[in-house]
């Protein structure tokens, strides 16, 4: 089937290609209970060296700049406790870490999690982290602009391949909170 966004000739329902997904993402797709059927989660193949947004849209379609989102792992600190959270914002925006995120998490300091922490705790590759399959105890903050999209391109858990999902599927993930103005 043709992908609903981007220049991808072949989109495969994620339940039909679990072998292309990293373990936590494949497990989440297998156990999917969202309001959107799992068959609407589509996998598209892509070159790992083109995973970063600017290069990606150059190769797969400029329309993806407005319909792709990044999942950013943030570490919030208060006292001696660190809380990891995932934030999903449109690729063309910047995550408001020190304002919206910090206040929502109720922490004194919030910053991007170190790469080793983000990958080690998520079980995913840097540059491919996706909100689908993250640890259940992590807060998941989704920008309303992402949740409102009919289809959004997100990571697949690794740099090779992406997922195209209805925005409302992300809003329905366990622990997800939709926030207006998360990305600016």
């Amino acid at each position: 089937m043709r992908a609903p966004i981007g220049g991808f000739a072949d989109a495969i329902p994620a339940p039909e290609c679990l072998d292309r997904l990293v373990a936590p993402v494949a497990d989440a797709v297998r156990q999917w209970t969202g309001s959107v059927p799992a068959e609407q989660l589509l996998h598209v193949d892509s070159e790992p060296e083109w995973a970063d947004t600017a290069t990606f849209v150059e190769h797969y379609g400029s329309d993806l700049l407005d319909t792709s989102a990044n999942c950013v792992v943030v570490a919030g600190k208060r006292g001696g406790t660190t809380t990891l959270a995932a934030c999903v914002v449109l690729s063309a925006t910047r995550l408001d870490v020190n304002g919206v995120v910090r206040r929502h998490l109720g922490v004194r300091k919030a910053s991007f999690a170190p790469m080793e922490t983000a990958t080690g705790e998520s079980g995913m590759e840097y540059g491919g982290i996706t909100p689908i399959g993250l640890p259940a105890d992590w807060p998941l903050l989704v920008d309303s602009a992402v949740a409102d999209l009919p289809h959004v391109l997100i990571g697949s858990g690794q740099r090779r391949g992406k997922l195209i999902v209805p925005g409302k599927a992300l809003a329905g993930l366990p622990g997800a909170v939709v926030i207006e103005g998360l990305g600016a």
Side-chain angles (χ1 to χ4, degrees), residues 71-94:
C71 182
V72 180
V73 179
V74 173
K77 296 179 183 179
R78 184 170 193 90
T81 304
T82 299
T83 300
L84 293 177
C87 303
V88 184
V89 295
L90 291 174
S91 297
T93 64
R94 297 176 57 92

Side-chain angles (χ1 to χ4, degrees), residues 40-163:
Q40 289 186 24
L41 311 177
L42 304 175
H43 180 274
V44 293
D45 193 29
S46 64
E47 295 298 326
E49 62 269 16
W50 298 340
D52 296 321
T53 304
T55 308
F56 196 86
V57 299
E58 180 182 318
H59 286 90
Y60 295 107
S62 59
D63 64 313
L64 293 173
L65 189 59
D66 297 325
T67 56
S68 64
N70 292 325
C71 182
V72 180
V73 179
V74 173
K77 296 179 183 179
R78 184 170 193 90
T81 304
T82 299
T83 300
L84 293 177
C87 303
V88 184
V89 295
L90 291 174
S91 297
T93 64
R94 297 176 57 92
L95 177 64
D96 186 1
V97 176
N98 291 310
V100 176
V101 174
R102 184 183 57 76
R103 284 190 302 273
H104 184 80
L105 296 177
V107 295
R108 293 183 62 89
K109 181 180 179 191
S111 58
F112 297 109
M115 181 174 65
E116 308 79 43
T117 301
T119 58
E121 296 293 324
S122 70
M124 300 179 198
E125 290 180 10
Y126 189 75
I129 294 176
T130 184
I132 298 173
L134 288 173
D137 61 339
W138 285 16
L140 175 59
L141 312 181
V142 180
D143 191 289
S144 60
V146 173
D148 290 342
L149 287 173
H151 295 95
V152 60
L153 181 100
I154 57 173
S156 67
Q158 56 190 345
R159 290 181 68 84
R160 172 166 219 115
K162 299 284 185 183
L163 296 174

